[in-house]
Amino acid sequence: MHFIKKNITKDGDGYVTLRPEIPEDMWHSYNIIRPLDKLRTDALRRVTIGDEATGSTSSKRVHTILTLIIEKIDFDPSSSQLHLSGRTCEENAYVTLGQYHTLDLELHRNFTLYKSSWDSVALEELRKACTPGEGAEIAAITLHEGLATICAVGEHITVLKQRIEMAIPKKRGANTEAHDKGMQKFYAAITAAFLRLFDIEKLKVVLFGSPGYLAQRLREYIFMNATKMGDKTMLKAKGKFICEHTSSGHKFALNEMLASPTVKARLQDTRFAKETAAVERFMEMITTDELRAWYGKGPVERAVEKGAVATLLVNDSIYRSNDPAERKKWVEAKEEVEKYGGEVLVLSSIHESGVRLAQIGGIAAMLSFPLDDLEGEGDADEEVWE
Amino acid sequence: MGRNDYDDDDYYDEEEEEQREMTAEERAQMKSGLKATRDVLGTVPGLTDAEIEESLYYYYFDVEKTINYLLNKYAKSMPKKPKPAAAPAPKAKASTYSSGYFAGFFADTPWGGVPEDRLSKMIPPTVLPGSTGLLGGSSKLAELARKRKEAAAAKAAAAEAAAATEPQAQKASVSLLSKLSQKKSPKSEEPRMLKSVSPPATSPPTASPACPASPALPVTTPPRTAGPVQPVAIPVVPVAIPSAPGKEPRTKEDLDQPTLDTKPKSAALSPPQSPMELELPFSTPPAPNSFFASTFFGGRIALEPPNDVADGFKLFAAAAEKTKGFKGPSPDDTVQQAQSGSKGLNKGAPAAAKSPDADVKKIEKDVDTMRIDTAPAKDQKDKIDVLKAWKESTEKQVVNFVVVGHVDAGKSTLMGRLLYDTGAVAERTLQKFRKESEQIGKGSFALAWVMDSTDEERERGVTIDIATSHFSTPKTHFTILDAPGHADFIPNMIAGASQADFAVLVIDSSPNAFEAGFHRQGQTKEHTLLLRSLGVKKLVVAVNKLDVTNWSQDRYLEILQQVEQFTLNAGYRRENITFVPLAGLSGINVIHPLGPDAAALTAWYSGPTLLEALETATSTGEADRAVDKPLRLILTDVFRGSIQNPVSVSGRIDSGHLQAGDEILCIPSKQLATIKSLSINETPAQWAVAGHNVVLNLANIDPIHLRVGDVVCDKNWPLEPKERLTMKLLAFETLLPMSVDVHKGRLHAPGEVKVLLETVEKGTGVVSKIRPRVVKAGELARVGVMVQVEHGVPIETGDKVVLRSRGVTVAAGVVE
């Protein structure tokens, strides 16, 4: 995100002007822009011009600058687009006050965001967004026989690019021809999708993960193919390819891959590597030291009150809550933990580690000392089953 | 005449034949025969006069045979026609001889250089009491002879006839010789075979003294009624080989030439003359296979049944008693019925599969398949009551077992050994594997290659996917599901286990190997637990590689004690566990009783061999199968069976039954399909019930609607796919709300444990905690699982489901 201008007073009232540069910036914007914020940006509006004399109308599209009070925010991860809608709060030649408008934030176009209170989480997100990242992506492919999931893992987001499902005949006695053919077809489909979806030169690392030997086979296949086609960029990038072990080809197997030592070493400083490691640590703790690992809003809230939290894991989805009070509560909890020296990790809910955290309520805490009375009434009602 | 659409083996005869016209006499015969046939058959859809004529010609105007053949051919389209036996056969009483029998005489005769010991003297066999007819003479000759007898005084013509027959006989033998390479000689009922005997066109009407009496002998019948008596079909009869001292070796050119005047008549064709010499041919033991013959026919000869000449003749005698002729169902019918009803395989007795009958039946089957292809859906009224048929079926029981154990315990090798020793795998195949595996430095894997067929598996020496194979014992047909031991492929093992009636747990007893397999991460324990939670109750524990420890009884007992303890804890009952010490690679105590090479074992072990243990374990195999419940079958494979069967699926019927012609529903695609045909253990069948591993050839469905893990069910009792599963389960690992792989049979779906509903106390079933925040390993709990598949997965109440995460089984339980 390109940072243009900032004017925020000490009590948190003010505005910033930003310019999204890469698709990932939309994700940051999604985390920063909240309902009731004011947003000023270029917009394309269809205006109807009526001719009073004849009663006929004609419409045309005009470029104009609008200021909206945001009501709805919607993020589409696969295309990295942010849809915003709200009512205008400034009149101009084309719109009157209070008219609805829906727009998509566009890359390379400035927008100005007014907030009546910039809290620490928003400022932190702003800082993250404006730190120039490497912009490098990781291509991650998990596969098992008949299923491959191709994902692009960015610094802040993981996008499922394609899922390839193919029926591969099983071996039948001594007849393995159909099986072998099926496997070749399967590899060919993955290779084709991979080449279409990614620009190898921009990738930092390419991860293949599978049970058994499929990942290695796929790598062999891709390079065999590259040699055949004389694809020099691919051959040059050989060092970027890492084969890892996963238990399946489903998307959540990404966690296994990203947690593996080889990948960790390779991607030490990336955000998702840290997040993955933190979630792993929590999962281990709940198995070995149950009373120091708690999850769910109720218990964590109580743990925060007792000053017991050593590491707080919060999904950014918690802060995207449409209920400002809810958001405020967790902003305060975060500040509280930081105040008494705890660590807070705001996880990207769109990374697999964030998805994992979301499954246990989007919030978890590792305590510095065991507590066993954190469960309270009403915790269980969060999830309704039968 | 349309006779050249058969096989090229008869090429030489056809050239001759085509130049021939029918004689006036034949035309007359044709006319009357056609009329007689039409009278009996009435109007059969699709049956033209031309076809009848053709058949008549092939059968030398034998109306009875023609009708028989046509009825077989059109059996499907006219099921209610009278049996051929009921046909008024004007010329019925002709004695015929199987040319198949004839050709069989030469089955293992080398082409040239007949070894001295095989050259036997031509000794004309005698007429057995009650049995007459030419020894293997052509039906045509018999026919001619009969007619001749009717026409004129037989005795007066006898001498003349013998002379007149000669050219004919030579022609016949020439064509037969040309078939030397064709080992599988078909039977006489199949018209194409008779081509090898020249039609009577040019031959003068002759009478053979060979058939003076009792003309109605269906000599060819006995060998085709299946059963153990096969030899007639492929006997090596020394008498049958024309001894030609001055004229050997015979070259191919010789054989090709239509005139071999100097060649003596084959014994088979010569009229029996002297009863005195009856015993002589039989007392001559069959000559051993020549080196040349073994080179050509290799293992196949070894697989032939013993060449029991005497047996062959016994059949003649037996045939004499069977005077009823064609009164019963035709031999083809009998055989076909037996075969279609048979759930069995011929693998156990490869010789049977090699018999000429099998060849013919295969063709018949192919023809059947083609016919079904055009009319896939059978009439509703053709349906059989499968339940009744199953109860009445006297076939061997069909049992499936899965082979599990830690990686490298020797599962595949042991199964390779079992298949090899039971004869389901040929020596040749194994020799090939031995050679190839030695080439890549994995000589000890040769037996495992029987199961591990993909390149990947062979290269790595690891089983990856379930391998299915069959063998049978006199009592039972076994289907082996050889599961991979590697932790990565446990999903495949689950697939195999869900198809099994019981399991063989293979344990590597060599030092440290047992311990490696038996510690917490080893697959011995995980497999055993999985089996139990998938409903497998019986275990045969094969303590393998005990030869490495010099058959140490201490080691055996140590393993036995530990495994016993563990399996009992896992919920198996002691009486359902059998332990067998053995060595898979060398085959000691696998199927053969202990020999001297296992003296160290016999010193302390006198229990069952593996095979005996398997047979014991099957005793209740079929009892608890839900045959009368609605049909459920989980697809384990979707593939292209053949050109006729572009969509084939395989799987084990979990419950219910099905038959060819049924319409079935595939879930979750909710597409209907028709079962065109099916086979059980690679043997075609009409119906199948729960417990059978079947291949269904489907019609009226696109394969995109079928995926591995889908369920085929009764369209009247459809299965409703589910997205939300409430499960009662046993946690193997700490269970939180988390992503899991949901496994049921071949089904492998992504899912998520959404809610931990409650933990339940073991034993009492009392709820110990509502909404626990974590379920610890070993606890019983009820949880809610959401499957992340768009239209849900075909899982229903009562199904056994395994949840795995990160390559570890976290829980297994039942859907509520």
Side-chain angles (χ1 to χ4, degrees):
Chain A
M1 195 99 81
H2 197 72
F3 180 79
I4 309 286
K5 194 158 76 173
K6 181 168 118 177
N7 185 358
I8 298 173
T9 60
K10 262 185 188 164
D11 55 350
D13 179 30
Y15 67 91
V16 290
T17 303
L18 302 165
R19 186 168 70 227
E21 298 285 347
I22 52 170
E24 214 174 73
D25 290 338
M26 292 302 166
W27 173 253
H28 292 297
S29 312
Y30 178 47
N31 281 319
I32 298 170
I33 302 168
R34 292 291 87 217
L36 303 181
D37 291 351
K38 279 184 204 167
L39 184 106
R40 185 179 168 81
T41 186
D42 264 358
L44 199 62
R45 186 159 176 95
R46 192 173 65 95
V47 277
T48 314
I49 302 155
D51 187 333
E52 275 176 30
T54 61
S56 68
T57 57
S58 63
S59 70
K60 60 175 184 178
R61 294 155 76 83
V62 290
H63 273 285
T64 176
I65 292 175
L66 293 180
T67 309
L68 305 173
I69 295 177
I70 303 296
E71 288 187 6
K72 264 199 301 199
I73 311 165
D74 186 26
F75 180 70
D76 173 8
S78 58
S79 60
S80 286
Q81 276 189 321
L82 190 61
H83 313 296
L84 302 168
S85 83
R87 302 168 86 144
T88 52
C89 60
E90 274 174 28
E91 252 182 326
N92 67 16
Y94 304 107
V95 293
T96 52
L97 207 61
Q99 272 191 309
Y100 274 99
H101 188 83
T102 301
L103 57 81
D104 288 358
L105 279 192
E106 307 248 347
L107 289 182
H108 313 298
R109 190 154 294 163
N110 292 1
F111 70 86
T112 304
L113 183 70
Y114 300 85
K115 269 179 191 289
S116 52
S117 75
W118 286 86
D119 58 33
S120 62
V121 172
L123 289 172
E124 172 74 6
E125 188 67 38
L126 188 64
R127 192 188 56 74
K128 265 192 226 163
C130 298
T131 311
E134 293 169 70
E137 269 193 341
I138 294 168
I141 302 179
T142 54
L143 65 156
H144 66 238
E145 204 174 295
L147 175 74
T149 312
I150 306 180
C151 292
V153 183
E155 181 77 12
H156 306 285
I157 57 174
T158 300
V159 180
L160 172 64
K161 291 282 191 183
Q162 193 166 353
R163 218 167 147 264
I164 296 173
E165 215 178 343
M166 208 180 253
I168 297 172
K170 309 280 176 199
K171 63 173 180 179
R172 303 193 62 72
N175 178 9
T176 60
E177 200 188 317
H179 172 81
D180 295 343
K181 241 186 189 167
M183 289 309 287
Q184 290 301 312
K185 255 184 171 168
F186 182 52
Y187 293 140
I190 300 173
T191 310
F194 173 71
L195 293 175
R196 180 166 45 77
L197 292 168
F198 297 101
D199 180 354
I200 308 295
E201 280 180 315
K202 282 188 186 159
L203 291 175
K204 195 175 176 191
V205 173
V206 180
L207 299 174
F208 292 158
S210 77
Y213 318 103
L214 292 181
Q216 285 88 329
R217 279 279 153 117
L218 175 63
R219 183 168 62 175
E220 280 164 28
Y221 184 93
I222 286 181
F223 284 107
M224 207 184 66
N225 193 50
T227 317
K228 227 191 282 172
M229 311 292 280
D231 184 347
K232 281 193 186 135
T233 26
M234 179 69 92
L235 293 173
K236 236 191 276 169
K238 201 161 185 174
K240 289 180 182 174
F241 287 74
I242 303 178
C243 287
E244 269 306 321
H245 180 271
T246 62
S247 62
S248 75
H250 298 304
K251 188 175 173 226
F252 50 74
L254 269 182
N255 265 329
E256 288 172 57
M257 205 151 69
L258 297 176
S260 81
T262 339
V263 179
K264 259 192 211 159
R266 208 61 190 255
L267 305 167
Q268 247 167 3
D269 304 323
T270 52
R271 179 180 168 191
F272 66 77
K274 277 184 205 152
E275 291 174 1
T276 308
V279 175
E280 289 292 306
R281 227 163 62 226
F282 176 82
M283 293 304 160
E284 201 186 314
M285 189 177 265
I286 203 160
T287 323
T288 55
D289 197 354
E290 197 193 329
L291 296 179
R292 280 180 62 203
W294 289 85
Y295 66 86
K297 285 178 185 167
V300 172
E301 203 179 337
R302 272 163 234 136
V304 172
E305 275 165 25
K306 296 193 179 185
V309 177
T311 310
L312 180 68
L313 306 174
V314 196
N315 244 0
D316 51 19
S317 59
I318 298 274
Y319 293 117
R320 285 198 305 269
S321 168
N322 283 335
D323 176 5
E326 179 78 7
R327 178 186 163 98
K328 196 162 170 250
K329 185 171 87 182
W330 290 109
V331 170
E332 278 163 10
K334 170 182 179 272
E335 285 162 358
E336 173 79 10
V337 171
E338 276 168 345
K339 206 164 77 193
Y340 61 66
E343 189 192 355
V344 180
L345 280 171
V346 179
L347 273 65
S348 168
S349 58
I350 206 169
H351 271 319
E352 272 310 299
S353 50
V355 172
R356 180 80 194 83
L357 188 62
Q359 287 165 354
I360 51 174
I363 192 154
M366 286 180 268
L367 311 188
S368 39
F369 49 87
L371 288 173
D372 64 354
D373 52 351
L374 294 178
E375 280 168 279
E377 289 296 310
D379 289 352
D381 298 337
E382 287 162 19
E383 197 78 57
V384 184
W385 188 248
E386 283 155 309
Chain B
M1 281 296 229
R3 265 167 289 138
N4 17 4
D5 24 307
Y6 292 101
D7 51 354
D8 4 339
D9 288 304
D10 300 320
Y11 173 71
Y12 304 113
D13 304 293
E14 275 165 18
E15 277 192 339
E16 270 185 274
E17 280 176 338
E18 270 153 25
Q19 295 157 3
R20 227 170 263 142
E21 290 288 332
M22 274 201 282
T23 61
E25 191 193 1
E26 281 173 316
R27 284 206 190 88
Q29 280 181 325
M30 180 68 90
K31 215 174 161 187
S32 62
L34 176 63
K35 190 167 174 295
T37 313
R38 267 296 178 205
D39 286 346
V40 175
L41 290 177
T43 42
V44 176
L47 180 61
T48 60
D49 281 3
E51 254 177 294
I52 298 178
E53 273 172 14
E54 195 171 336
S55 315
L56 275 168
Y57 187 81
Y58 285 134
Y59 284 119
Y60 306 103
F61 313 109
D62 185 333
V63 175
E64 205 172 273
K65 283 187 175 223
T66 306
I67 292 171
N68 201 6
Y69 166 72
L70 290 171
L71 275 176
N72 262 338
K73 196 174 167 194
Y74 287 91
K76 290 265 152 65
S77 50
M78 41 166 299
K80 279 174 187 169
K81 282 292 156 195
K83 284 282 166 191
K91 301 178 179 182
K93 303 296 176 189
S95 125
T96 46
Y97 291 89
S98 156
S99 70
Y101 172 72
F102 223 135
F105 281 2
F106 302 93
D108 74 341
T109 312
W111 279 340
V114 180
E116 204 58 37
D117 55 340
R118 302 206 61 172
L119 292 173
S120 43
K121 274 189 190 153
M122 191 187 85
I123 304 156
T126 355
V127 184
L128 288 167
S131 162
T132 49
L134 284 170
L135 180 53
S138 77
S139 58
K140 190 206 73 204
L141 290 173
E143 173 79 13
L144 287 171
R146 193 186 51 73
K147 283 169 61 186
R148 184 70 182 176
K149 193 178 142 234
E150 281 166 8
K155 270 188 186 174
E160 184 197 332
T165 317
E166 200 154 350
Q168 277 305 310
Q170 277 158 6
K171 271 172 202 147
S173 60
V174 166
S175 59
L176 288 163
L177 284 169
S178 74
K179 293 171 75 179
L180 275 180
S181 61
Q182 187 195 8
K183 194 167 72 67
K184 301 173 181 178
S185 37
K187 53 189 171 175
S188 64
E189 262 71 9
E190 200 57 23
R192 73 193 191 98
M193 284 315 143
L194 287 166
K195 264 186 294 173
S196 53
V197 181
S198 314
T202 53
S203 65
T206 53
S208 160
C211 350
S214 150
L217 296 182
V219 182
T220 51
T221 307
R224 262 178 292 107
T225 48
V229 200
Q230 289 285 352
V232 172
I234 359 161
V236 178
V237 187
V239 200
I241 302 162
S243 77
K247 223 193 157 281
E248 51 143 342
R250 287 197 301 271
T251 59
K252 201 163 185 308
E253 281 77 8
D254 288 336
L255 299 180
D256 291 350
Q257 263 150 40
T259 48
L260 280 173
D261 292 337
T262 52
K263 220 182 74 181
K265 287 186 288 179
S266 92
L269 284 167
S270 58
Q273 283 160 355
S274 160
M276 305 298 290
E277 288 173 45
L278 174 64
E279 287 310 305
L280 272 172
F282 313 141
S283 55
T284 315
N289 301 328
S290 73
F291 177 76
F292 184 67
S294 350
T295 320
F296 261 79
F297 300 111
R300 286 186 289 164
I301 286 181
L303 288 168
E304 314 281 23
N307 299 319
D308 196 340
V309 183
D311 252 4
F313 280 87
K314 269 183 213 158
L315 287 164
F316 276 65
E321 287 160 27
K322 197 177 172 188
T323 45
K324 282 195 174 176
F326 290 101
K327 286 272 158 52
S330 84
D332 274 355
D333 286 349
T334 325
V335 172
Q336 221 172 4
Q337 207 178 0
Q339 210 188 26
S340 63
S342 163
K343 288 175 274 183
L345 354 141
N346 295 328
K347 287 204 168 175
K354 305 259 178 211
S355 78
D357 289 353
D359 193 31
V360 175
K361 270 176 274 171
K362 195 179 158 290
I363 295 160
E364 286 173 355
K365 237 177 284 158
D366 287 349
V367 172
D368 281 354
T369 329
M370 274 150 48
R371 209 175 303 142
I372 291 170
D373 206 11
T374 53
K378 273 185 161 185
D379 270 351
Q380 209 63 26
K381 60 187 170 195
D382 284 351
K383 297 241 163 135
I384 35 174
D385 184 349
V386 174
L387 283 180
K388 201 168 147 233
W390 177 65
K391 278 189 191 116
E392 284 168 1
S393 163
T394 52
E395 296 298 328
K396 298 182 199 178
Q397 61 173 341
V398 180
V399 178
N400 318 304
F401 67 89
V402 64
V403 189
V404 301
H406 193 63
V407 64
D408 287 341
K411 295 176 292 298
S412 300
T413 301
L414 180 61
M415 288 309 113
R417 167 59 69 180
L418 193 59
L419 287 171
Y420 174 56
D421 284 356
T422 52
V425 171
E427 176 68 41
R428 272 172 68 84
T429 317
L430 198 68
Q431 264 171 9
K432 189 173 140 244
F433 290 162
R434 282 216 180 93
K435 208 173 134 204
E436 286 170 8
S437 57
E438 265 157 29
Q439 271 168 7
I440 62 163
K442 287 176 187 280
S444 65
F445 282 89
L447 279 165
W449 281 21
V450 174
M451 304 307 269
D452 298 349
S453 50
T454 65
D455 291 348
E456 181 100 49
E457 290 175 322
R458 291 184 176 176
E459 244 166 65
R460 315 245 179 202
V462 167
T463 308
I464 292 175
D465 207 345
I466 289 282
T468 314
S469 208
H470 318 281
F471 70 94
S472 64
T473 65
K475 278 189 243 163
T476 318
H477 291 301
F478 287 102
T479 300
I480 302 175
L481 301 150
D482 182 33
H486 196 287
D488 270 4
F489 309 120
I490 284 188
N492 296 337
M493 176 264 162
I494 293 172
S498 56
Q499 284 176 270
D501 295 310
F502 69 95
V504 174
L505 173 65
V506 182
I507 288 176
D508 184 350
S509 64
S510 47
N512 296 323
F514 165 67
E515 285 73 11
F518 208 65
H519 74 9
R520 198 171 161 277
Q521 249 72 50
Q523 269 70 63
T524 307
K525 281 188 170 174
E526 183 164 9
H527 280 185
T528 314
L529 287 172
L530 276 173
L531 285 174
R532 190 67 198 87
S533 40
L534 290 167
V536 174
K537 298 191 188 85
K538 286 197 173 187
L539 274 187
V540 173
V541 184
V543 183
N544 196 13
K545 304 191 192 176
L546 208 58
D547 49 347
V548 178
T549 64
N550 270 324
W551 303 103
S552 152
Q553 187 180 9
D554 292 346
R555 180 66 171 167
Y556 175 68
L557 290 177
E558 179 195 346
I559 291 170
L560 186 141
Q561 189 249 329
Q562 286 200 45
V563 176
E564 188 175 31
Q565 185 63 41
F566 178 72
T567 45
L568 292 181
N569 284 346
Y572 293 91
R573 295 162 68 118
R574 183 62 187 89
E575 65 264 29
N576 287 338
I577 311 170
T578 320
F579 289 86
V580 185
L582 48 78
L585 194 58
S586 48
I588 294 170
N589 206 25
V590 175
I591 81 161
H592 298 301
L594 301 169
D597 45 345
L601 176 59
T602 35
W604 53 268
Y605 182 78
S606 58
T609 61
L610 178 64
L611 191 65
E612 284 162 10
L614 294 179
E615 296 216 300
T616 322
T618 59
S619 53
T620 57
E622 284 193 337
D624 48 354
R625 288 177 183 169
V627 177
D628 46 358
K629 300 244 172 61
L631 173 67
R632 296 288 185 267
L633 181 155
I634 303 184
L635 301 188
T636 53
D637 195 6
V638 179
F639 59 99
R640 188 183 163 85
S642 63
I643 294 170
Q644 290 95 0
N645 300 314
V647 188
S648 295
V649 297
S650 68
R652 178 188 195 240
I653 305 179
D654 280 344
S655 65
H657 53 81
L658 51 81
Q659 60 179 296
D662 272 0
E663 207 170 22
I664 48 164
L665 187 65
C666 305
I667 300 290
S669 63
K670 295 190 178 164
Q671 294 287 319
L672 283 171
T674 312
I675 303 176
K676 209 158 69 171
S677 58
L678 64 128
S679 58
I680 304 171
N681 294 348
E682 280 132 48
T683 313
Q686 284 303 306
W687 50 266
V689 297
H692 286 156
N693 270 314
V694 293
V695 170
L696 306 180
N697 301 315
L698 301 180
N700 307 334
I701 190 164
D702 193 291
I704 56 165
H705 298 303
L706 298 164
R707 275 183 307 182
V708 166
D710 284 0
V711 171
V712 159
C713 59
D714 191 329
K715 61 176 176 178
N716 300 320
W717 300 91
L719 181 155
E720 202 52 51
K722 280 188 182 184
E723 272 181 87
R724 292 154 68 90
L725 312 170
T726 306
M727 287 182 63
K728 191 169 183 179
L729 49 73
L730 172 70
F732 291 13
E733 301 285 336
T734 308
L735 191 65
L736 287 171
M738 65 207 276
S739 295
V740 285
D741 299 288
V742 179
H743 293 276
K744 188 211 157 197
R746 272 281 184 201
L747 178 72
H748 179 184
E752 185 185 335
V753 176
K754 276 277 186 193
V755 197
L756 307 178
L757 295 166
E758 59 199 29
T759 48
V760 182
E761 265 178 46
K762 267 187 189 168
T764 60
V766 177
V767 174
S768 54
K769 189 158 192 241
I770 294 174
R771 298 282 170 138
R773 65 188 197 100
V774 52
V775 178
K776 279 180 242 146
E779 282 183 328
L780 276 180
R782 286 179 67 235
V783 303
V785 178
M786 189 80 142
V787 183
Q788 290 154 345
V789 175
E790 211 167 319
H791 301 294
V793 286
I795 291 182
E796 58 188 339
T797 304
D799 280 348
K800 296 186 176 78
V801 170
V802 175
L803 303 181
R804 307 191 85 235
S805 169
R806 312 196 143 210
V808 180
T809 303
V810 288
V814 182
V815 176
E816 291 189 334

